[in-house]
Amino acid sequence: MNKDDEELELYLKPRSTETVSIKIPTDALESLKKVAANRDMTLEALLKFYIGQNLRQDLAKFFSERLLESTAKVLAKQAHRIQRGNFKHHSRNSS
């Protein structure tokens, strides 16, 4: 380990948490415990990892879908203005 690695510290902002209870099939729970042990993680850490990973994927997909919808609306408005002849071209070099 070099000196730069020794000085590297990770600061995590504390986040509020809430305890939830879920029912998981026994065989799935046993599999989760084996995977957690294989990864040298606690069961709770593995579950948080899975939830966080998939949540980020779903949120990214949701955000991109909303962005595409918004872009489509803007483009449709611009197309409508062009068709009506109300489109004003804005030049970057307006000197």
Coordinates of all heavy atoms in Angstrom, one line a residue:
M1 N 0.9 -1.2 0.0 CA 0.0 0.0 0.0 C 0.9 1.2 0.0 O 1.8 1.4 0.8 CB -0.9 0.0 1.3 CG -1.9 1.1 1.3 SD -2.9 1.1 2.7 CE -4.0 -0.3 2.6
N2 N 0.6 2.2 -0.9 CA 1.5 3.4 -1.0 C 0.9 4.4 0.0 O -0.2 4.3 0.5 CB 1.6 3.9 -2.4 CG 0.3 4.3 -3.0 OD1 -0.5 4.9 -2.4 ND2 0.2 4.1 -4.3
K3 N 1.6 5.5 0.1 CA 1.3 6.6 1.0 C -0.1 7.2 0.7 O -0.9 7.5 1.5 CB 2.3 7.6 1.1 CG 2.1 8.7 2.1 CD 3.2 9.7 2.3 CE 2.9 10.6 3.4 NZ 3.9 11.6 3.7
D4 N -0.4 7.4 -0.6 CA -1.6 8.0 -1.1 C -2.8 7.1 -0.6 O -3.9 7.6 -0.2 CB -1.7 8.2 -2.6 CG -0.7 9.3 -3.0 OD1 -0.4 10.2 -2.2 OD2 -0.3 9.2 -4.2
D5 N -2.7 5.8 -0.7 CA -3.7 4.9 -0.3 C -4.0 5.0 1.2 O -5.1 4.9 1.7 CB -3.4 3.4 -0.7 CG -3.5 3.2 -2.2 OD1 -4.2 4.0 -2.9 OD2 -2.8 2.3 -2.6
E6 N -2.9 5.1 2.0 CA -3.1 5.2 3.4 C -3.8 6.5 3.9 O -4.5 6.5 4.9 CB -1.7 5.2 4.1 CG -1.0 3.8 3.9 CD 0.4 3.9 4.4 OE1 0.9 4.9 5.0 OE2 1.1 2.9 4.2
E7 N -3.7 7.5 3.1 CA -4.3 8.8 3.5 C -5.8 8.9 2.9 O -6.5 9.8 3.3 CB -3.5 10.0 2.9 CG -2.1 10.1 3.6 CD -1.3 11.2 3.0 OE1 -1.8 12.0 2.2 OE2 -0.1 11.3 3.4
L8 N -6.2 8.0 2.1 CA -7.5 8.0 1.5 C -8.5 7.6 2.6 O -8.4 6.5 3.2 CB -7.6 7.1 0.3 CG -8.9 7.0 -0.4 CD1 -9.3 8.4 -1.0 CD2 -8.9 6.0 -1.5
E9 N -9.5 8.5 2.9 CA -10.5 8.1 3.8 C -11.9 8.4 3.1 O -12.0 9.3 2.4 CB -10.4 9.0 5.1 CG -9.2 8.7 5.9 CD -9.2 9.5 7.2 OE1 -10.3 9.6 7.8 OE2 -8.1 10.0 7.5
L10 N -12.8 7.5 3.5 CA -14.2 7.6 2.9 C -15.1 8.2 4.0 O -15.2 7.7 5.1 CB -14.7 6.3 2.5 CG -16.0 6.2 1.9 CD1 -16.1 7.0 0.6 CD2 -16.4 4.7 1.6
Y11 N -15.7 9.3 3.6 CA -16.7 10.0 4.5 C -18.1 9.8 4.0 O -18.4 10.3 2.9 CB -16.4 11.5 4.7 CG -15.0 11.7 5.3 CD1 -13.9 12.0 4.6 CD2 -14.9 11.6 6.7 CE1 -12.7 12.3 5.2 CE2 -13.7 11.9 7.3 CZ -12.6 12.2 6.5 OH -11.3 12.4 7.1
L12 N -18.9 9.1 4.7 CA -20.3 8.9 4.3 C -21.2 9.7 5.1 O -21.1 9.8 6.4 CB -20.7 7.4 4.5 CG -19.9 6.4 3.7 CD1 -20.3 5.0 4.0 CD2 -20.0 6.6 2.2
K13 N -22.1 10.4 4.5 CA -23.1 11.2 5.2 C -24.1 10.3 5.8 O -24.7 9.5 5.1 CB -23.7 12.1 4.1 CG -24.8 13.1 4.8 CD -25.4 14.0 3.7 CE -26.4 14.8 4.3 NZ -27.1 15.6 3.3
P14 N -24.3 10.4 7.1 CA -25.3 9.6 7.8 C -26.7 9.9 7.2 O -27.1 11.0 6.9 CB -25.3 10.0 9.2 CG -24.1 10.8 9.4 CD -23.7 11.3 8.0
R15 N -27.4 8.8 6.9 CA -28.8 8.9 6.4 C -29.8 8.3 7.4 O -29.4 7.3 8.0 CB -28.9 8.2 5.0 CG -28.0 8.9 4.0 CD -27.7 8.1 2.8 NE -28.9 7.4 2.2 CZ -28.8 6.6 1.2 NH1 -27.7 6.2 0.7 NH2 -29.9 6.1 0.7
S16 N -30.9 8.8 7.4 CA -31.9 8.2 8.3 C -32.4 6.9 7.8 O -32.4 6.7 6.6 CB -33.1 9.2 8.5 OG -33.8 9.4 7.3
T17 N -32.7 6.0 8.7 CA -33.1 4.7 8.3 C -34.4 4.3 8.9 O -34.8 4.9 9.9 CB -32.0 3.6 8.7 OG1 -31.9 3.6 10.1 CG2 -30.7 3.9 8.0
E18 N -35.0 3.3 8.4 CA -36.3 2.7 9.0 C -36.2 1.2 8.9 O -35.8 0.7 7.9 CB -37.5 3.3 8.2 CG -38.8 2.9 8.8 CD -39.9 3.7 8.1 OE1 -39.7 4.7 7.5 OE2 -41.0 3.1 8.1
T19 N -36.7 0.6 9.9 CA -36.7 -0.9 9.9 C -37.9 -1.4 9.2 O -39.0 -0.9 9.4 CB -36.6 -1.4 11.3 OG1 -35.4 -1.0 12.0 CG2 -36.6 -2.9 11.4
V20 N -37.7 -2.4 8.3 CA -38.9 -3.0 7.6 C -38.8 -4.5 7.8 O -37.7 -5.1 8.1 CB -38.9 -2.7 6.1 CG1 -39.1 -1.2 5.9 CG2 -37.7 -3.2 5.4
S21 N -39.9 -5.2 7.7 CA -39.9 -6.6 7.8 C -40.5 -7.2 6.6 O -41.6 -6.7 6.1 CB -40.8 -7.0 9.0 OG -41.0 -8.4 9.1
I22 N -39.9 -8.2 6.0 CA -40.4 -8.8 4.8 C -40.3 -10.3 4.9 O -39.5 -10.8 5.7 CB -39.6 -8.4 3.5 CG1 -38.1 -8.7 3.6 CG2 -39.7 -6.9 3.2 CD1 -37.3 -8.5 2.3
K23 N -41.2 -11.0 4.2 CA -41.1 -12.4 4.2 C -40.4 -12.9 3.0 O -40.7 -12.4 1.9 CB -42.6 -13.0 4.2 CG -43.3 -12.8 5.5 CD -44.6 -13.5 5.5 CE -45.3 -13.2 6.8 NZ -46.5 -14.0 7.0
I24 N -39.4 -13.7 3.2 CA -38.6 -14.3 2.1 C -38.6 -15.8 2.1 O -38.5 -16.4 3.2 CB -37.1 -13.8 2.2 CG1 -37.0 -12.3 2.2 CG2 -36.2 -14.4 1.1 CD1 -35.6 -11.7 2.4
P25 N -38.9 -16.4 1.0 CA -38.9 -17.9 1.0 C -37.6 -18.4 1.7 O -36.5 -17.9 1.4 CB -39.0 -18.3 -0.4 CG -39.6 -17.1 -1.1 CD -39.1 -15.9 -0.3
T26 N -37.8 -19.5 2.5 CA -36.6 -20.1 3.2 C -35.5 -20.4 2.3 O -34.3 -20.1 2.6 CB -37.1 -21.3 4.0 OG1 -38.2 -20.9 4.8 CG2 -36.0 -21.8 4.9
D27 N -35.7 -21.1 1.2 CA -34.7 -21.5 0.3 C -33.9 -20.2 -0.3 O -32.7 -20.2 -0.4 CB -35.1 -22.4 -0.8 CG -36.2 -21.7 -1.7 OD1 -37.0 -20.9 -1.2 OD2 -36.3 -22.1 -2.9
A28 N -34.7 -19.2 -0.6 CA -34.0 -17.9 -1.1 C -33.2 -17.3 0.0 O -32.1 -16.8 -0.2 CB -35.1 -17.0 -1.6
L29 N -33.7 -17.3 1.2 CA -32.9 -16.8 2.4 C -31.6 -17.6 2.6 O -30.5 -17.0 2.8 CB -33.8 -16.8 3.6 CG -33.1 -16.2 4.9 CD1 -32.8 -14.7 4.6 CD2 -34.1 -16.3 6.1
E30 N -31.7 -18.9 2.5 CA -30.5 -19.7 2.6 C -29.5 -19.4 1.5 O -28.3 -19.3 1.8 CB -30.8 -21.2 2.6 CG -31.6 -21.6 3.9 CD -30.8 -21.3 5.2 OE1 -29.6 -21.5 5.3 OE2 -31.5 -20.7 6.1
S31 N -30.0 -19.2 0.3 CA -29.1 -18.8 -0.8 C -28.5 -17.4 -0.6 O -27.3 -17.3 -0.8 CB -29.9 -18.8 -2.1 OG -30.3 -20.1 -2.5
L32 N -29.2 -16.5 -0.1 CA -28.7 -15.2 0.2 C -27.6 -15.2 1.3 O -26.6 -14.6 1.2 CB -29.8 -14.2 0.7 CG -30.8 -13.7 -0.4 CD1 -32.1 -13.2 0.2 CD2 -30.1 -12.7 -1.3
K33 N -27.8 -16.1 2.3 CA -26.8 -16.2 3.3 C -25.5 -16.8 2.8 O -24.4 -16.4 3.2 CB -27.3 -17.1 4.5 CG -28.4 -16.5 5.3 CD -29.0 -17.4 6.3 CE -30.0 -16.8 7.2 NZ -30.6 -17.8 8.2
K34 N -25.6 -17.8 1.9 CA -24.4 -18.3 1.2 C -23.7 -17.3 0.4 O -22.5 -17.2 0.5 CB -24.8 -19.6 0.4 CG -25.2 -20.8 1.2 CD -25.7 -21.9 0.3 CE -26.2 -23.1 1.2 NZ -26.8 -24.2 0.3
V35 N -24.5 -16.5 -0.4 CA -23.8 -15.5 -1.2 C -23.1 -14.5 -0.3 O -22.0 -14.1 -0.6 CB -24.9 -14.8 -2.1 CG1 -24.3 -13.6 -2.8 CG2 -25.4 -15.8 -3.2
A36 N -23.8 -14.1 0.7 CA -23.2 -13.1 1.7 C -21.9 -13.6 2.3 O -20.9 -12.9 2.3 CB -24.2 -12.7 2.8
A37 N -22.0 -14.8 2.7 CA -20.8 -15.4 3.3 C -19.6 -15.5 2.3 O -18.5 -15.2 2.6 CB -21.1 -16.8 3.9
N38 N -20.0 -15.9 1.0 CA -19.0 -16.0 0.0 C -18.4 -14.6 -0.4 O -17.2 -14.6 -0.7 CB -19.7 -16.6 -1.3 CG -18.7 -17.0 -2.3 OD1 -17.6 -17.5 -2.0 ND2 -19.0 -16.7 -3.6
R39 N -19.1 -13.6 -0.2 CA -18.6 -12.2 -0.5 C -18.1 -11.6 0.8 O -17.7 -10.4 0.8 CB -19.8 -11.3 -1.0 CG -20.2 -11.7 -2.4 CD -21.3 -10.7 -2.8 NE -21.7 -10.9 -4.2 CZ -22.0 -9.9 -5.0 NH1 -22.0 -8.7 -4.6 NH2 -22.3 -10.2 -6.3
D40 N -18.0 -12.3 1.9 CA -17.6 -11.8 3.2 C -18.3 -10.6 3.6 O -17.8 -9.6 4.0 CB -16.1 -11.5 3.1 CG -15.4 -11.4 4.5 OD1 -16.0 -12.0 5.4 OD2 -14.4 -10.6 4.6
M41 N -19.7 -10.7 3.5 CA -20.6 -9.6 3.9 C -21.6 -10.2 4.8 O -21.9 -11.4 4.9 CB -21.3 -9.1 2.6 CG -20.5 -8.6 1.5 SD -21.5 -8.2 0.0 CE -22.3 -6.7 0.5
T42 N -22.2 -9.3 5.6 CA -23.4 -9.7 6.4 C -24.6 -9.8 5.4 O -24.6 -9.2 4.3 CB -23.7 -8.7 7.5 OG1 -24.1 -7.4 6.8 CG2 -22.5 -8.4 8.4
L43 N -25.6 -10.5 5.9 CA -26.8 -10.7 5.1 C -27.4 -9.3 4.9 O -27.9 -8.9 3.8 CB -27.8 -11.6 5.8 CG -29.2 -11.8 5.1 CD1 -29.0 -12.3 3.7 CD2 -30.1 -12.6 6.0
E44 N -27.5 -8.5 5.9 CA -28.0 -7.1 5.8 C -27.3 -6.3 4.8 O -27.9 -5.6 4.0 CB -28.0 -6.4 7.2 CG -28.6 -5.0 7.1 CD -28.6 -4.3 8.5 OE1 -28.2 -4.9 9.5 OE2 -29.0 -3.2 8.5
A45 N -25.9 -6.4 4.8 CA -25.1 -5.6 3.8 C -25.4 -6.1 2.4 O -25.5 -5.2 1.5 CB -23.6 -5.7 4.2
L46 N -25.6 -7.4 2.2 CA -25.8 -7.9 0.9 C -27.2 -7.4 0.4 O -27.4 -7.0 -0.8 CB -25.8 -9.4 0.9 CG -26.1 -10.1 -0.5 CD1 -25.0 -9.8 -1.5 CD2 -26.3 -11.6 -0.3
L47 N -28.2 -7.5 1.3 CA -29.6 -7.0 0.9 C -29.6 -5.5 0.6 O -30.2 -5.1 -0.4 CB -30.6 -7.3 2.0 CG -30.9 -8.8 2.2 CD1 -31.7 -9.0 3.5 CD2 -31.5 -9.4 1.0
K48 N -28.9 -4.7 1.3 CA -28.7 -3.3 1.1 C -28.0 -3.1 -0.3 O -28.4 -2.2 -1.1 CB -28.0 -2.6 2.2 CG -28.8 -2.4 3.4 CD -28.0 -1.7 4.5 CE -28.8 -1.5 5.8 NZ -28.0 -0.8 6.8
F49 N -27.0 -3.9 -0.6 CA -26.3 -3.8 -1.8 C -27.2 -4.1 -3.0 O -27.3 -3.3 -4.0 CB -25.1 -4.7 -1.8 CG -24.4 -4.8 -3.1 CD1 -23.6 -3.8 -3.6 CD2 -24.6 -6.0 -3.9 CE1 -22.9 -3.9 -4.8 CE2 -24.0 -6.1 -5.2 CZ -23.1 -5.0 -5.6
Y50 N -27.9 -5.2 -2.9 CA -28.9 -5.5 -4.0 C -29.9 -4.5 -4.2 O -30.2 -4.1 -5.3 CB -29.6 -6.9 -3.7 CG -28.7 -8.1 -3.9 CD1 -29.1 -9.3 -3.4 CD2 -27.5 -8.1 -4.6 CE1 -28.4 -10.5 -3.6 CE2 -26.8 -9.2 -4.8 CZ -27.2 -10.4 -4.3 OH -26.5 -11.6 -4.5
I51 N -30.5 -4.0 -3.1 CA -31.6 -3.0 -3.2 C -31.0 -1.7 -3.8 O -31.6 -1.1 -4.7 CB -32.2 -2.7 -1.8 CG1 -33.0 -3.9 -1.4 CG2 -33.1 -1.4 -1.8 CD1 -33.4 -3.9 0.1
G52 N -29.8 -1.3 -3.3 CA -29.2 0.0 -3.8 C -28.9 -0.1 -5.3 O -29.1 0.8 -6.1
Q53 N -28.3 -1.2 -5.7 CA -27.9 -1.4 -7.1 C -29.1 -1.4 -8.0 O -29.1 -0.7 -9.0 CB -27.2 -2.8 -7.2 CG -26.6 -3.1 -8.6 CD -25.8 -4.4 -8.6 OE1 -26.3 -5.4 -8.0 NE2 -24.7 -4.4 -9.2
N54 N -30.1 -2.1 -7.7 CA -31.3 -2.1 -8.5 C -32.1 -0.8 -8.5 O -32.7 -0.4 -9.5 CB -32.2 -3.3 -8.2 CG -31.5 -4.6 -8.7 OD1 -31.2 -4.8 -9.8 ND2 -31.2 -5.5 -7.7
L55 N -32.1 -0.2 -7.3 CA -32.8 1.1 -7.2 C -32.2 2.1 -8.1 O -32.8 2.9 -8.8 CB -32.8 1.5 -5.7 CG -33.4 2.9 -5.5 CD1 -34.9 2.9 -5.9 CD2 -33.3 3.2 -4.0
R56 N -30.8 2.2 -8.1 CA -30.1 3.1 -9.0 C -30.4 2.8 -10.4 O -30.6 3.8 -11.2 CB -28.6 3.1 -8.7 CG -28.2 3.8 -7.5 CD -26.7 3.9 -7.4 NE -26.0 2.6 -7.1 CZ -25.9 2.0 -6.0 NH1 -26.4 2.5 -4.9 NH2 -25.4 0.8 -5.9
Q57 N -30.5 1.6 -10.8 CA -30.8 1.2 -12.2 C -32.2 1.7 -12.6 O -32.4 2.3 -13.7 CB -30.7 -0.3 -12.5 CG -29.3 -0.8 -12.5 CD -29.2 -2.3 -12.6 OE1 -30.2 -3.0 -12.6 NE2 -28.0 -2.8 -12.7
D58 N -33.2 1.4 -11.7 CA -34.5 1.8 -12.0 C -34.7 3.3 -12.0 O -35.4 3.9 -12.9 CB -35.5 1.2 -10.9 CG -35.7 -0.3 -11.1 OD1 -35.3 -0.8 -12.2 OD2 -36.2 -0.9 -10.2
L59 N -34.0 4.0 -11.1 CA -34.1 5.5 -11.1 C -33.5 6.1 -12.3 O -34.0 7.1 -12.9 CB -33.5 6.1 -9.8 CG -34.2 5.8 -8.5 CD1 -33.4 6.3 -7.3 CD2 -35.6 6.4 -8.5
A60 N -32.4 5.5 -12.8 CA -31.7 6.0 -14.0 C -32.6 5.8 -15.2 O -32.8 6.7 -16.1 CB -30.4 5.3 -14.2
K61 N -33.3 4.6 -15.3 CA -34.2 4.4 -16.4 C -35.4 5.3 -16.3 O -35.8 5.9 -17.3 CB -34.7 2.9 -16.3 CG -35.6 2.5 -17.4 CD -36.1 1.1 -17.3 CE -37.1 0.7 -18.3 NZ -37.6 -0.6 -18.2
F62 N -35.9 5.5 -15.1 CA -37.0 6.4 -15.0 C -36.7 7.9 -15.4 O -37.4 8.5 -16.1 CB -37.5 6.4 -13.5 CG -38.6 7.4 -13.2 CD1 -39.9 7.2 -13.7 CD2 -38.4 8.5 -12.4 CE1 -40.9 8.1 -13.4 CE2 -39.4 9.4 -12.1 CZ -40.6 9.2 -12.6
F63 N -35.5 8.3 -15.0 CA -35.0 9.6 -15.3 C -34.8 9.8 -16.8 O -35.2 10.8 -17.4 CB -33.7 10.0 -14.6 CG -33.1 11.3 -15.0 CD1 -33.7 12.5 -14.5 CD2 -32.1 11.4 -15.8 CE1 -33.2 13.7 -14.9 CE2 -31.5 12.6 -16.2 CZ -32.1 13.8 -15.7
S64 N -34.2 8.8 -17.4 CA -34.0 8.9 -18.9 C -35.3 8.8 -19.6 O -35.4 9.5 -20.7 CB -33.1 7.7 -19.4 OG -33.7 6.5 -19.2
E65 N -36.3 8.1 -19.2 CA -37.6 8.1 -19.8 C -38.3 9.4 -19.7 O -38.8 9.9 -20.7 CB -38.5 7.0 -19.2 CG -38.1 5.6 -19.6 CD -38.8 4.5 -18.9 OE1 -39.6 4.8 -18.0 OE2 -38.6 3.3 -19.2
R66 N -38.2 10.0 -18.6 CA -38.8 11.4 -18.4 C -38.1 12.4 -19.2 O -38.7 13.3 -19.8 CB -38.7 11.8 -16.9 CG -39.8 11.0 -16.1 CD -39.9 11.5 -14.7 NE -40.4 12.9 -14.7 CZ -40.4 13.7 -13.7 NH1 -39.9 13.2 -12.5 NH2 -40.8 14.9 -13.8
L67 N -36.7 12.3 -19.3 CA -36.0 13.2 -20.2 C -36.4 13.1 -21.6 O -36.6 14.1 -22.3 CB -34.5 12.9 -20.0 CG -33.5 13.8 -20.7 CD1 -33.7 15.3 -20.3 CD2 -32.1 13.4 -20.5
L68 N -36.5 11.8 -22.1 CA -36.9 11.6 -23.5 C -38.3 12.2 -23.7 O -38.6 12.8 -24.8 CB -36.9 10.1 -23.8 CG -35.5 9.5 -24.0 CD1 -35.6 8.0 -24.2 CD2 -34.8 10.1 -25.2
E69 N -39.2 12.0 -22.8 CA -40.6 12.5 -22.9 C -40.6 14.0 -23.0 O -41.2 14.6 -23.8 CB -41.5 12.1 -21.7 CG -41.8 10.6 -21.8 CD -42.5 10.2 -20.5 OE1 -42.9 11.0 -19.6 OE2 -42.7 9.0 -20.3
S70 N -39.8 14.7 -22.1 CA -39.7 16.1 -22.1 C -39.1 16.6 -23.4 O -39.5 17.6 -24.0 CB -38.8 16.6 -20.9 OG -39.4 16.3 -19.7
T71 N -38.1 16.0 -23.9 CA -37.4 16.4 -25.1 C -38.4 16.2 -26.3 O -38.5 17.1 -27.2 CB -36.2 15.5 -25.4 OG1 -35.3 15.6 -24.3 CG2 -35.4 15.9 -26.7
A72 N -39.1 15.1 -26.3 CA -40.1 14.9 -27.4 C -41.2 16.0 -27.4 O -41.6 16.5 -28.5 CB -40.8 13.6 -27.2
K73 N -41.6 16.5 -26.2 CA -42.6 17.6 -26.1 C -42.0 18.9 -26.6 O -42.7 19.6 -27.4 CB -43.1 17.7 -24.7 CG -44.0 16.6 -24.2 CD -44.4 16.9 -22.7 CE -45.2 15.7 -22.2 NZ -45.6 15.9 -20.8
V74 N -40.8 19.2 -26.3 CA -40.2 20.4 -26.7 C -40.0 20.4 -28.3 O -40.3 21.4 -29.0 CB -38.8 20.6 -26.1 CG1 -38.0 21.7 -26.7 CG2 -39.0 20.9 -24.6
L75 N -39.5 19.2 -28.8 CA -39.4 19.1 -30.2 C -40.7 19.2 -31.0 O -40.8 19.8 -32.0 CB -38.6 17.8 -30.6 CG -37.2 17.8 -30.1 CD1 -36.6 16.4 -30.4 CD2 -36.3 18.8 -30.8
A76 N -41.7 18.7 -30.4 CA -43.1 18.7 -31.0 C -43.5 20.2 -31.1 O -44.1 20.6 -32.1 CB -44.0 17.8 -30.3
K77 N -43.3 20.9 -30.0 CA -43.7 22.3 -30.0 C -43.0 23.1 -31.0 O -43.5 24.0 -31.7 CB -43.5 23.0 -28.6 CG -44.5 22.5 -27.5 CD -44.2 23.2 -26.2 CE -45.1 22.8 -25.1 NZ -44.8 23.4 -23.8
Q78 N -41.6 22.9 -31.1 CA -40.8 23.6 -32.1 C -41.3 23.2 -33.5 O -41.4 24.1 -34.4 CB -39.4 23.2 -31.9 CG -38.7 23.8 -30.7 CD -38.7 25.3 -30.7 OE1 -39.7 26.0 -30.5 NE2 -37.5 25.8 -31.0
A79 N -41.6 22.0 -33.8 CA -42.1 21.5 -35.1 C -43.4 22.2 -35.4 O -43.6 22.7 -36.5 CB -42.2 20.0 -35.1
H80 N -44.3 22.3 -34.4 CA -45.6 23.0 -34.6 C -45.3 24.5 -35.0 O -46.0 25.0 -35.9 CB -46.4 22.8 -33.4 CG -47.8 23.4 -33.5 ND1 -48.7 22.8 -34.4 CD2 -48.4 24.4 -33.0 CE1 -49.9 23.5 -34.3 NE2 -49.7 24.5 -33.5
R81 N -44.4 25.1 -34.3 CA -44.1 26.5 -34.5 C -43.6 26.7 -35.9 O -43.9 27.7 -36.6 CB -43.2 27.1 -33.5 CG -43.8 27.3 -32.2 CD -42.8 27.9 -31.2 NE -43.3 27.9 -29.9 CZ -42.7 27.9 -28.8 NH1 -41.3 27.7 -28.8 NH2 -43.2 27.9 -27.6
I82 N -42.7 25.8 -36.4 CA -42.1 25.9 -37.7 C -43.2 25.8 -38.7 O -43.2 26.5 -39.7 CB -41.0 24.8 -37.9 CG1 -39.8 25.2 -37.0 CG2 -40.6 24.7 -39.3 CD1 -38.8 24.1 -36.9
Q83 N -44.1 24.8 -38.5 CA -45.2 24.6 -39.5 C -46.1 25.8 -39.6 O -46.6 26.1 -40.7 CB -46.0 23.4 -39.1 CG -45.3 22.1 -39.3 CD -46.0 20.9 -38.8 OE1 -47.0 21.0 -38.0 NE2 -45.6 19.7 -39.1
R84 N -46.3 26.5 -38.5 CA -47.1 27.7 -38.5 C -46.4 28.9 -39.0 O -47.0 30.0 -39.2 CB -47.7 28.0 -37.1 CG -48.7 27.0 -36.6 CD -49.3 27.4 -35.3 NE -48.5 28.3 -34.5 CZ -48.5 28.4 -33.2 NH1 -49.3 27.7 -32.5 NH2 -47.7 29.3 -32.6
G85 N -45.1 28.8 -39.1 CA -44.3 30.0 -39.6 C -43.9 30.9 -38.4 O -43.5 32.0 -38.7
N86 N -44.1 30.5 -37.2 CA -43.8 31.4 -36.0 C -42.4 31.1 -35.4 O -42.2 31.4 -34.3 CB -44.9 31.2 -34.9 CG -46.2 31.7 -35.4 OD1 -46.3 32.5 -36.3 ND2 -47.2 31.2 -34.8
F87 N -41.6 30.4 -36.2 CA -40.3 30.0 -35.6 C -39.3 31.2 -35.8 O -39.1 31.7 -36.9 CB -39.8 28.8 -36.3 CG -38.5 28.3 -35.8 CD1 -38.4 27.7 -34.6 CD2 -37.3 28.4 -36.5 CE1 -37.2 27.2 -34.1 CE2 -36.1 28.0 -36.1 CZ -36.0 27.4 -34.8
K88 N -38.6 31.5 -34.8 CA -37.6 32.5 -34.8 C -36.2 31.9 -34.7 O -36.0 31.2 -33.7 CB -37.8 33.6 -33.8 CG -39.0 34.4 -34.0 CD -39.2 35.4 -32.9 CE -40.5 36.2 -33.0 NZ -40.7 37.1 -32.0
H89 N -35.4 32.0 -35.6 CA -34.0 31.4 -35.6 C -33.1 32.3 -34.7 O -33.0 33.5 -35.0 CB -33.5 31.3 -37.0 CG -32.1 30.7 -37.0 ND1 -31.9 29.4 -36.6 CD2 -30.9 31.2 -37.2 CE1 -30.6 29.1 -36.7 NE2 -29.9 30.2 -37.1
H90 N -32.5 31.8 -33.7 CA -31.6 32.5 -32.9 C -30.2 32.1 -33.2 O -29.8 30.9 -33.1 CB -31.8 32.2 -31.4 CG -33.2 32.6 -30.9 ND1 -33.5 33.9 -30.7 CD2 -34.3 31.9 -30.7 CE1 -34.7 34.0 -30.3 NE2 -35.3 32.8 -30.3
S91 N -29.4 33.1 -33.7 CA -28.0 32.8 -34.0 C -27.1 33.0 -32.8 O -27.3 34.0 -32.1 CB -27.6 33.7 -35.2 OG -26.2 33.6 -35.4
R92 N -26.1 32.2 -32.7 CA -25.1 32.4 -31.6 C -24.3 33.6 -31.9 O -23.8 34.3 -30.9 CB -24.2 31.2 -31.4 CG -25.0 30.0 -30.9 CD -24.0 28.8 -30.7 NE -24.8 27.8 -30.1 CZ -24.4 27.1 -29.0 NH1 -23.2 27.5 -28.4 NH2 -25.1 26.2 -28.5
N93 N -24.0 33.9 -33.1 CA -23.2 35.1 -33.5 C -24.1 36.2 -33.9 O -24.2 36.5 -35.1 CB -22.2 34.7 -34.6 CG -21.2 33.6 -34.2 OD1 -20.9 33.5 -33.0 ND2 -20.8 32.8 -35.1
S94 N -24.7 36.8 -33.0 CA -25.7 37.9 -33.4 C -25.0 39.3 -33.3 O -25.4 40.1 -32.5 CB -26.9 37.9 -32.5 OG -26.5 37.9 -31.1
S95 N -23.9 39.4 -34.1 CA -23.2 40.7 -34.0 C -23.4 41.5 -35.3 O -23.9 41.0 -36.3 CB -21.7 40.5 -33.8 OG -21.1 39.4 -34.5

